[in-house]
Amino acid sequence: MKNQLFTLFSFVLLLFVVSSCSKDDDEFSQNTDITKTSYEAGKEYTRTFYFGSHAISSSPEHGIYAICYFTSECERLSFMLADYVNEAPSNELRSKVINLQSNDRFQIGKLDYFLVADFKFTYGLTELSKVIEWKIIIGYFEEYAFENKIYKRLVIKEEYKE
């Protein structure tokens, strides 16, 4: 009788754990495997993007400003923001991470500094919104295959602390 109760209790507990761990594919989860995500037009996603570079531009309306280029941690998505847009990282923060980075960036398996933030977006549309504040992290790239192509993905090891 004790064994039957224990077995029943274990089974109920297992069902609870399995049902509570199931997730909606449309909703971002830290457990989401970005290397297997097939992005679908019109679906909403939240992903981590890192600052890649910037270029100087100008316009009569905004004067001289920087255009910042960002790439998703899976390397398959990218976007750009002018630095006068609220979602863009400050010039001071961009300069800080650039100064921390070594000259031989983006080597597979080499630790480096990156400026990252999570963005929520609808795939296929240009609107996006920042979910967390920009932060500097320490991470590295590793390769993965998706649809017979090789990509790099950013692996975050820890947040940079001064």
Side-chain angles (χ1 to χ4, degrees):
M1 182 71 176
K2 265 186 171 179
N3 283 343
Q4 288 176 331
L5 282 175
F6 180 76
T7 304
L8 180 61
F9 176 75
S10 298
F11 180 75
V12 170
L13 183 62
L14 179 66
L15 281 176
F16 175 77
V17 169
V18 169
S19 66
S20 65
C21 289
S22 67
K23 64 180 188 275
D24 182 1
D25 287 337
D26 295 343
E27 192 173 311
F28 176 73
S29 162
Q30 291 301 329
N31 297 324
T32 301
D33 187 348
I34 60 167
T35 65
K36 295 180 182 174
T37 301
S38 292
Y39 295 102
E40 297 177 37
K43 279 196 163 184
E44 191 171 87
Y45 300 90
T46 301
R47 293 293 183 263
T48 300
F49 285 81
Y50 67 89
F51 168 74
S53 65
H54 66 274
I56 303 302
S57 189
S58 68
S59 72
E61 183 180 348
H62 297 288
I64 297 175
Y65 60 92
I67 296 176
C68 302
Y69 299 94
F70 304 95
T71 304
S72 65
E73 63 185 324
C74 68
E75 196 190 58
R76 291 185 283 131
L77 305 170
S78 62
F79 69 94
M80 60 186 177
L81 285 175
D83 69 352
Y84 57 81
V85 176
N86 289 338
E87 305 293 353
S90 68
N91 185 42
E92 295 78 25
L93 199 50
R94 291 191 320 265
S95 295
K96 184 174 186 170
V97 80
I98 289 169
N99 289 334
L100 286 168
Q101 291 169 334
S102 62
N103 292 329
D104 53 350
R105 289 184 59 202
F106 306 120
Q107 291 182 356
I108 302 300
K110 181 187 174 300
L111 287 176
D112 211 342
Y113 299 91
F114 298 90
L115 183 58
V116 300
D118 288 348
F119 280 84
K120 182 181 264 188
F121 61 95
T122 302
Y123 187 72
L125 301 179
T126 57
E127 289 185 26
L128 47 94
S129 59
K130 185 172 54 169
V131 176
I132 65 163
E133 294 302 310
W134 290 102
K135 61 184 175 184
I136 298 173
I137 59 94
I138 299 170
Y140 64 93
F141 284 99
E142 67 180 17
E143 291 182 336
Y144 73 96
F146 180 79
E147 295 183 350
N148 298 320
K149 292 182 183 175
I150 302 295
Y151 295 95
K152 294 180 297 193
R153 85 174 181 105
L154 178 60
V155 177
I156 298 172
K157 294 296 286 180
E158 62 186 81
E159 188 170 343
Y160 170 74
K161 305 284 187 209
E162 293 187 68

